[in-house]
Amino acid sequence: EVQLVESGGGLVQAGGSLRLSCAASGFTFDDYAIGFVRQAPGKEREGVSCISSSDGSTYYADSVKGRFTISSDNAKNTVYLQMNSLKPEDTAVYYCAALVYGTSCLLPSEYDYWGQGTQVTVSS
């Protein structure tokens, strides 16, 4: 059974940093992607960033390029999202998700498995 568990959310002032972690388990697939999708109140889900298991390729939404960095520690089966220069508009619930059958890991609809989400709040 695939399980994704996020941690690391919280409250931070604008300009600050947070690091989210996603611990993954139960994968039996050879090729997949792990990403973070966020949802702010009253808004649709937005693909933030993702990383490929096969070659480590990374992808970012334009809204976070240059501020967020995704990485993975394969020994720990954990993916990290380092978020710097946070803005109030980054406030959202951040979900870790896994894509196995889809093709575009910046599209929330492509994901097959989801974590429970963690709240990130950026105060101005």
Side-chain angles (χ1 to χ4, degrees):
E1 179 186 1
V2 173
Q3 287 192 324
L4 302 167
V5 180
E6 305 99 332
S7 59
L11 172 65
V12 65
Q13 288 188 334
S17 299
L18 282 175
R19 189 178 78 159
L20 303 183
S21 299
C22 174
S25 63
F27 278 88
T28 59
F29 312 104
D30 293 330
D31 189 12
Y32 56 90
I34 300 286
F36 287 88
V37 175
R38 67 186 180 186
Q39 187 166 26
K43 295 188 177 181
E44 294 187 353
R45 288 187 174 184
E46 176 190 18
V48 175
S49 181
C50 47
I51 185 167
S52 168
S53 69
S54 59
D55 61 5
S57 297
T58 57
Y59 305 87
Y60 297 93
D62 288 342
S63 56
V64 306
K65 278 181 183 176
R67 300 189 298 122
F68 291 10
T69 302
I70 194 167
S71 61
S72 65
D73 184 335
N74 293 334
K76 295 182 179 180
N77 293 325
T78 299
V79 172
Y80 303 98
L81 184 68
Q82 178 66 44
M83 305 186 294
N84 298 329
S85 302
L86 283 162
K87 305 175 181 180
E89 51 264 43
D90 294 318
T91 295
V93 176
Y94 284 70
Y95 297 90
C96 175
L99 181 153
V100 177
Y101 305 106
T103 57
S104 177
C105 63
L106 287 180
L107 291 179
S109 61
E110 294 282 281
Y111 283 94
D112 304 291
Y113 302 95
W114 294 82
Q116 81 284 0
T118 186
Q119 177 70 46
V120 171
T121 303
V122 185
S123 62
S124 57

